[in-house]
Amino acid sequence: MAKYFSNEQQYLGAVPPTPPGDEALGGRMRCYRATIPLDAPKLSPSQNGAGVTTADTVSLCKVPAGMRFIKGTLTSSVSLGTSTISIGNAADAAKYRAAAVFTATDTPTDFGKAAAMANGANNADEEVLLTVATANLPTTAGAKLIIDMIFAGP
């Protein structure tokens, strides 16, 4: 019977074993939290907007070079209805989450695309963006959308 190794553990099959230096293997987990007040999203520290509309982006976090994506978690106090949101960066709006509706309320829901999870560490700093693809986000008073982006790094 053959014994196979994951990419992260393949060094165990080498003679002598040499650790690969993978950020996800024994690295430190870092959570970047973004809280979006849906009824008054921030345009700047002192100015609120009226609402997040179709084709708008929201800056979620800036991840330094050398970090590897593990997963993301969405939590909303209200259903986002027919709004579709994607999470990525300026070059690939759906790098971490393809555009889709999110109707769960007060239910933390994990997301992550396999390709993003399998990639190595980011080579450069990266601004992570939420993009509204279809229908405006709700503007329910007091409603919040919270997004946690989890990365591993040295």
Side-chain angles (χ1 to χ4, degrees), residues 4-15:
Y4 295 95
F5 296 97
S6 68
N7 287 347
E8 294 78 13
Q9 295 295 314
Q10 64 186 332
Y11 74 90
L12 293 174
V15 178

Side-chain angles (χ1 to χ4, degrees), residues 110-130:
D110 290 343
F111 68 86
K113 292 172 81 174
M117 295 168 117
N119 283 343
N122 289 341
N123 293 327
D125 291 357
E126 175 185 46
E127 182 180 22
V128 179
L129 303 168
L130 175 143

Side-chain angles (χ1 to χ4, degrees), residues 60-83:
L60 301 179
C61 60
K62 187 164 186 176
V63 180
M67 302 298 283
R68 182 176 180 171
F69 178 66
I70 302 299
K71 71 174 183 173
T73 304
L74 284 170
T75 309
S76 183
S77 61
V78 297
S79 168
L80 300 185
T82 59
S83 299

